[in-house]
Amino acid sequence: MAKGMNATAVEPPRDLTLSKGMADLFDEPTAGQNSPEFTVTELSGAIKRVIEGEFGHVRIRGEVGRVSRPRSGHVYLDLKDDRSVISGIIWKGVTARLETQPEEGMEVIATGRITTFAGQSKYQIVIEDIKPAGMGALMALLEKRKAALAAEGLFAPERKRPLPYLPEIIGVVTSPSGAVIRDILHRLRDRFPRKVLVWPVAVQGAKCAPEVARAIEGFNRLTPGGALPRPDLLIVARGGGSVEDLWGFNEEIVARAAAASQIPLISAVGHETDTTLIDFVSDKRAPTPTAAAELAVPVRHELAAWLEGQGARMRQALSQGLTRRGQRMRDVARALPRAETLLEGPRQRLDRGGEKLAPALIAGVQGRRVKLADMSGALRPATLRRHLDADRQRLAQLSARLDPAWQRNLAGQRERLGNRVARFRPDVLHRQITSRRERLTARAQNFRPEVLSRDITRQSQRLADVLARLARAGEAAQERRRRQIEALGRTLGTLGYRETLARGFAVVRGDGDVVTSASAAKAARELEIEFADGRLKLEGKTDTPPDQGSLL
């Protein structure tokens, strides 16, 4: 291109050679000029064709500088080294297919074609593929992401949830065609069979990270107890591989999905020496997929053996507890007084009460008879006639005194009420006197012999009712005391040692005393065993020497 612009030799560039079809791009040189004139657009197009023709497909190694992601979906970035910078662009469709998304500071190898942008007189690379520049770049990117997520607290131990001891449903996020799912199912079947839901995903490549993230989010969106039940535990698993193969589990979208999971999650990605970002944010890391299945469920046979052992311990503890309490009850029973001793006092009080009951009833009846006789003696007709004669005499005396008194009272009233004759006429006063005389006569009728006789009859009937109630009360009291005595007798029989003999026990007596030990039985000269149906006497210790033997 520089030769085409030389002032001494006019030689068009290869893409701008004069021909009949291209002659209209150049003006005829005027007199005194030896170079053609171009418009800005013509020159920009010529440069574009030259650059795209020379650099149709290139690979550039450099560090990613500024990264811009506008709403259009394209990605604009800079590739730089220690001396130069070149602009780059990744179209929206290419961005979705990239395995590694560019981030500022990454060292990458970009594959694409060089082109120009006439609007700003600059050239740039249209990137078709971009990859990290070796293992060191991948590790640097991984460390950078790890530091950013750790600063947000996603690796904090307090965020990690405990795994359920025995989950009903286990969700597995892995490839359905690999050996990993078969290993997990086989291990679960050997240890403790559980229901397993498998969410198939790609475990490497560009589709790995978004599919794994969607699987974790999808399991969390399931409704507990629905048609497709929500798992109680998640396992994200993949077999071993290189760093590039496992890189999908180092993507930020996967790490954030695992951290946001409400279901406890076990990560089992790669072999024991492989480490990915999901291992740091998961609730539990398993070195292998098989180990993840072992962490998920206990061993059924071991659990059954443990339960059986616990049941045996419980039965043994219960038996020992009952034995100790039975022995304690027997010890306490020996410290209690005998039933006969407890019942001696109440029995004596009952006997004394029984002895006093009959005389008390007889005395009560006799006393009431005497009182009734006294009361009936006072109500004889002669006595009533004497009382009636005395009342008549008093009535006659009062009647004799009544008329003069009324006359005197009337005279006084007449004197005091001389001015009020209109209000107190003689006929009114006469009616009042007549009414009072009638009331006095009616009161005197209550003291007639026939009225008093009716009262005596009524009182006698009441007395008979009282005596009948007294007799019934005495009989009820006797019946109540009898039932109490019978109940005490039954209690005495229950508490007595004879009830114990009826259950198969026996009482051993030696020389008249109760024997409670083997040594005392050996020392007794005569033994007596009491059973429920009788007593049996045995010969005990004799005066023979020990070497001749002894009975028992």
PDB file of all heavy atoms in Angstrom, residues 342-360:
ATOM      1  N   LEU A 342     -51.021 -53.088 112.228  1.00  0.00           N
ATOM      2  CA  LEU A 342     -51.737 -51.906 111.746  1.00  0.00           C
ATOM      3  C   LEU A 342     -53.224 -51.971 112.063  1.00  0.00           C
ATOM      4  O   LEU A 342     -53.862 -50.941 112.269  1.00  0.00           O
ATOM      5  CB  LEU A 342     -51.539 -51.783 110.226  1.00  0.00           C
ATOM      6  CG  LEU A 342     -50.110 -51.480 109.746  1.00  0.00           C
ATOM      7  CD1 LEU A 342     -50.061 -51.528 108.231  1.00  0.00           C
ATOM      8  CD2 LEU A 342     -49.669 -50.112 110.249  1.00  0.00           C
ATOM      9  N   LEU A 343     -53.774 -53.177 112.121  1.00  0.00           N
ATOM     10  CA  LEU A 343     -55.225 -53.306 112.314  1.00  0.00           C
ATOM     11  C   LEU A 343     -55.636 -53.495 113.773  1.00  0.00           C
ATOM     12  O   LEU A 343     -56.831 -53.563 114.061  1.00  0.00           O
ATOM     13  CB  LEU A 343     -55.750 -54.477 111.487  1.00  0.00           C
ATOM     14  CG  LEU A 343     -55.629 -54.331 109.967  1.00  0.00           C
ATOM     15  CD1 LEU A 343     -56.110 -55.582 109.278  1.00  0.00           C
ATOM     16  CD2 LEU A 343     -56.420 -53.130 109.488  1.00  0.00           C
ATOM     17  N   GLU A 344     -54.661 -53.637 114.671  1.00  0.00           N
ATOM     18  CA  GLU A 344     -55.025 -53.856 116.074  1.00  0.00           C
ATOM     19  C   GLU A 344     -55.805 -52.690 116.658  1.00  0.00           C
ATOM     20  O   GLU A 344     -56.863 -52.862 117.271  1.00  0.00           O
ATOM     21  CB  GLU A 344     -53.761 -54.107 116.891  1.00  0.00           C
ATOM     22  CG  GLU A 344     -53.145 -55.488 116.678  1.00  0.00           C
ATOM     23  CD  GLU A 344     -51.861 -55.670 117.456  1.00  0.00           C
ATOM     24  OE1 GLU A 344     -51.431 -54.669 118.099  1.00  0.00           O
ATOM     25  OE2 GLU A 344     -51.288 -56.773 117.420  1.00  0.00           O
ATOM     26  N   GLY A 345     -55.290 -51.480 116.464  1.00  0.00           N
ATOM     27  CA  GLY A 345     -55.980 -50.304 117.021  1.00  0.00           C
ATOM     28  C   GLY A 345     -57.376 -50.122 116.435  1.00  0.00           C
ATOM     29  O   GLY A 345     -58.369 -50.004 117.181  1.00  0.00           O
ATOM     30  N   PRO A 346     -57.494 -50.078 115.074  1.00  0.00           N
ATOM     31  CA  PRO A 346     -58.854 -49.944 114.523  1.00  0.00           C
ATOM     32  C   PRO A 346     -59.787 -51.074 114.925  1.00  0.00           C
ATOM     33  O   PRO A 346     -60.984 -50.868 115.128  1.00  0.00           O
ATOM     34  CB  PRO A 346     -58.591 -49.954 113.006  1.00  0.00           C
ATOM     35  CG  PRO A 346     -57.197 -49.474 112.851  1.00  0.00           C
ATOM     36  CD  PRO A 346     -56.472 -49.979 114.035  1.00  0.00           C
ATOM     37  N   ARG A 347     -59.242 -52.315 115.069  1.00  0.00           N
ATOM     38  CA  ARG A 347     -60.100 -53.430 115.461  1.00  0.00           C
ATOM     39  C   ARG A 347     -60.626 -53.230 116.891  1.00  0.00           C
ATOM     40  O   ARG A 347     -61.816 -53.478 117.156  1.00  0.00           O
ATOM     41  CB  ARG A 347     -59.297 -54.719 115.346  1.00  0.00           C
ATOM     42  CG  ARG A 347     -60.116 -55.980 115.591  1.00  0.00           C
ATOM     43  CD  ARG A 347     -59.224 -57.193 115.454  1.00  0.00           C
ATOM     44  NE  ARG A 347     -58.689 -57.272 114.118  1.00  0.00           N
ATOM     45  CZ  ARG A 347     -57.605 -57.969 113.798  1.00  0.00           C
ATOM     46  NH1 ARG A 347     -56.917 -58.606 114.730  1.00  0.00           N
ATOM     47  NH2 ARG A 347     -57.186 -58.018 112.553  1.00  0.00           N
ATOM     48  N   GLN A 348     -59.770 -52.769 117.795  1.00  0.00           N
ATOM     49  CA  GLN A 348     -60.224 -52.531 119.162  1.00  0.00           C
ATOM     50  C   GLN A 348     -61.249 -51.410 119.213  1.00  0.00           C
ATOM     51  O   GLN A 348     -62.268 -51.503 119.918  1.00  0.00           O
ATOM     52  CB  GLN A 348     -59.022 -52.191 120.049  1.00  0.00           C
ATOM     53  CG  GLN A 348     -58.074 -53.366 120.262  1.00  0.00           C
ATOM     54  CD  GLN A 348     -56.884 -52.991 121.113  1.00  0.00           C
ATOM     55  OE1 GLN A 348     -56.763 -51.836 121.535  1.00  0.00           O
ATOM     56  NE2 GLN A 348     -55.997 -53.948 121.373  1.00  0.00           N
ATOM     57  N   ARG A 349     -60.990 -50.342 118.445  1.00  0.00           N
ATOM     58  CA  ARG A 349     -61.973 -49.255 118.429  1.00  0.00           C
ATOM     59  C   ARG A 349     -63.301 -49.730 117.856  1.00  0.00           C
ATOM     60  O   ARG A 349     -64.375 -49.335 118.320  1.00  0.00           O
ATOM     61  CB  ARG A 349     -61.434 -48.086 117.603  1.00  0.00           C
ATOM     62  CG  ARG A 349     -60.287 -47.353 118.261  1.00  0.00           C
ATOM     63  CD  ARG A 349     -60.051 -46.009 117.613  1.00  0.00           C
ATOM     64  NE  ARG A 349     -59.697 -46.147 116.212  1.00  0.00           N
ATOM     65  CZ  ARG A 349     -58.438 -46.307 115.769  1.00  0.00           C
ATOM     66  NH1 ARG A 349     -57.426 -46.348 116.653  1.00  0.00           N
ATOM     67  NH2 ARG A 349     -58.188 -46.430 114.490  1.00  0.00           N
ATOM     68  N   LEU A 350     -63.238 -50.612 116.874  1.00  0.00           N
ATOM     69  CA  LEU A 350     -64.467 -51.149 116.305  1.00  0.00           C
ATOM     70  C   LEU A 350     -65.202 -52.016 117.325  1.00  0.00           C
ATOM     71  O   LEU A 350     -66.440 -51.948 117.442  1.00  0.00           O
ATOM     72  CB  LEU A 350     -64.128 -51.952 115.050  1.00  0.00           C
ATOM     73  CG  LEU A 350     -65.305 -52.611 114.335  1.00  0.00           C
ATOM     74  CD1 LEU A 350     -66.287 -51.561 113.853  1.00  0.00           C
ATOM     75  CD2 LEU A 350     -64.829 -53.455 113.164  1.00  0.00           C
ATOM     76  N   ASP A 351     -64.455 -52.832 118.060  1.00  0.00           N
ATOM     77  CA  ASP A 351     -65.104 -53.669 119.077  1.00  0.00           C
ATOM     78  C   ASP A 351     -65.761 -52.805 120.149  1.00  0.00           C
ATOM     79  O   ASP A 351     -66.908 -53.071 120.560  1.00  0.00           O
ATOM     80  CB  ASP A 351     -64.071 -54.601 119.704  1.00  0.00           C
ATOM     81  CG  ASP A 351     -63.566 -55.644 118.697  1.00  0.00           C
ATOM     82  OD1 ASP A 351     -64.268 -55.870 117.691  1.00  0.00           O
ATOM     83  OD2 ASP A 351     -62.477 -56.206 118.904  1.00  0.00           O
ATOM     84  N   ARG A 352     -65.032 -51.785 120.617  1.00  0.00           N
ATOM     85  CA  ARG A 352     -65.621 -50.915 121.635  1.00  0.00           C
ATOM     86  C   ARG A 352     -66.850 -50.185 121.100  1.00  0.00           C
ATOM     87  O   ARG A 352     -67.870 -50.036 121.789  1.00  0.00           O
ATOM     88  CB  ARG A 352     -64.577 -49.903 122.121  1.00  0.00           C
ATOM     89  CG  ARG A 352     -63.497 -50.524 122.996  1.00  0.00           C
ATOM     90  CD  ARG A 352     -62.757 -49.441 123.779  1.00  0.00           C
ATOM     91  NE  ARG A 352     -62.081 -48.521 122.886  1.00  0.00           N
ATOM     92  CZ  ARG A 352     -60.832 -48.676 122.473  1.00  0.00           C
ATOM     93  NH1 ARG A 352     -60.132 -49.738 122.857  1.00  0.00           N
ATOM     94  NH2 ARG A 352     -60.277 -47.786 121.674  1.00  0.00           N
ATOM     95  N   GLY A 353     -66.754 -49.743 119.863  1.00  0.00           N
ATOM     96  CA  GLY A 353     -67.912 -49.081 119.278  1.00  0.00           C
ATOM     97  C   GLY A 353     -69.090 -50.029 119.137  1.00  0.00           C
ATOM     98  O   GLY A 353     -70.258 -49.661 119.370  1.00  0.00           O
ATOM     99  N   GLY A 354     -68.808 -51.294 118.718  1.00  0.00           N
ATOM    100  CA  GLY A 354     -69.883 -52.269 118.599  1.00  0.00           C
ATOM    101  C   GLY A 354     -70.528 -52.586 119.947  1.00  0.00           C
ATOM    102  O   GLY A 354     -71.740 -52.798 120.039  1.00  0.00           O
ATOM    103  N   GLU A 355     -69.687 -52.668 120.992  1.00  0.00           N
ATOM    104  CA  GLU A 355     -70.242 -52.932 122.318  1.00  0.00           C
ATOM    105  C   GLU A 355     -71.109 -51.782 122.815  1.00  0.00           C
ATOM    106  O   GLU A 355     -72.116 -51.988 123.503  1.00  0.00           O
ATOM    107  CB  GLU A 355     -69.097 -53.181 123.299  1.00  0.00           C
ATOM    108  CG  GLU A 355     -68.330 -54.477 123.023  1.00  0.00           C
ATOM    109  CD  GLU A 355     -67.111 -54.608 123.916  1.00  0.00           C
ATOM    110  OE1 GLU A 355     -66.855 -53.641 124.690  1.00  0.00           O
ATOM    111  OE2 GLU A 355     -66.416 -55.633 123.833  1.00  0.00           O
ATOM    112  N   LYS A 356     -70.733 -50.552 122.495  1.00  0.00           N
ATOM    113  CA  LYS A 356     -71.494 -49.393 122.972  1.00  0.00           C
ATOM    114  C   LYS A 356     -72.726 -49.114 122.125  1.00  0.00           C
ATOM    115  O   LYS A 356     -73.616 -48.386 122.567  1.00  0.00           O
ATOM    116  CB  LYS A 356     -70.599 -48.152 122.956  1.00  0.00           C
ATOM    117  CG  LYS A 356     -69.451 -48.203 123.946  1.00  0.00           C
ATOM    118  CD  LYS A 356     -68.613 -46.937 123.840  1.00  0.00           C
ATOM    119  CE  LYS A 356     -67.435 -46.971 124.817  1.00  0.00           C
ATOM    120  NZ  LYS A 356     -66.600 -45.745 124.706  1.00  0.00           N
ATOM    121  N   LEU A 357     -72.789 -49.664 120.935  1.00  0.00           N
ATOM    122  CA  LEU A 357     -73.872 -49.301 120.040  1.00  0.00           C
ATOM    123  C   LEU A 357     -75.224 -49.777 120.552  1.00  0.00           C
ATOM    124  O   LEU A 357     -76.186 -48.996 120.626  1.00  0.00           O
ATOM    125  CB  LEU A 357     -73.596 -49.895 118.645  1.00  0.00           C
ATOM    126  CG  LEU A 357     -74.669 -49.629 117.581  1.00  0.00           C
ATOM    127  CD1 LEU A 357     -74.838 -48.128 117.364  1.00  0.00           C
ATOM    128  CD2 LEU A 357     -74.317 -50.320 116.280  1.00  0.00           C
ATOM    129  N   ALA A 358     -75.347 -51.069 120.911  1.00  0.00           N
ATOM    130  CA  ALA A 358     -76.655 -51.595 121.358  1.00  0.00           C
ATOM    131  C   ALA A 358     -77.147 -50.901 122.637  1.00  0.00           C
ATOM    132  O   ALA A 358     -78.303 -50.436 122.697  1.00  0.00           O
ATOM    133  CB  ALA A 358     -76.558 -53.107 121.568  1.00  0.00           C
ATOM    134  N   PRO A 359     -76.309 -50.781 123.697  1.00  0.00           N
ATOM    135  CA  PRO A 359     -76.814 -50.043 124.882  1.00  0.00           C
ATOM    136  C   PRO A 359     -77.181 -48.593 124.575  1.00  0.00           C
ATOM    137  O   PRO A 359     -78.142 -48.058 125.129  1.00  0.00           O
ATOM    138  CB  PRO A 359     -75.634 -50.117 125.861  1.00  0.00           C
ATOM    139  CG  PRO A 359     -74.860 -51.322 125.441  1.00  0.00           C
ATOM    140  CD  PRO A 359     -75.004 -51.386 123.972  1.00  0.00           C
ATOM    141  N   ALA A 360     -76.414 -47.984 123.675  1.00  0.00           N
ATOM    142  CA  ALA A 360     -76.727 -46.593 123.350  1.00  0.00           C
ATOM    143  C   ALA A 360     -78.075 -46.490 122.647  1.00  0.00           C
ATOM    144  O   ALA A 360     -78.870 -45.573 122.922  1.00  0.00           O
ATOM    145  CB  ALA A 360     -75.628 -46.012 122.470  1.00  0.00           C
TER     146      ALA A 360
END
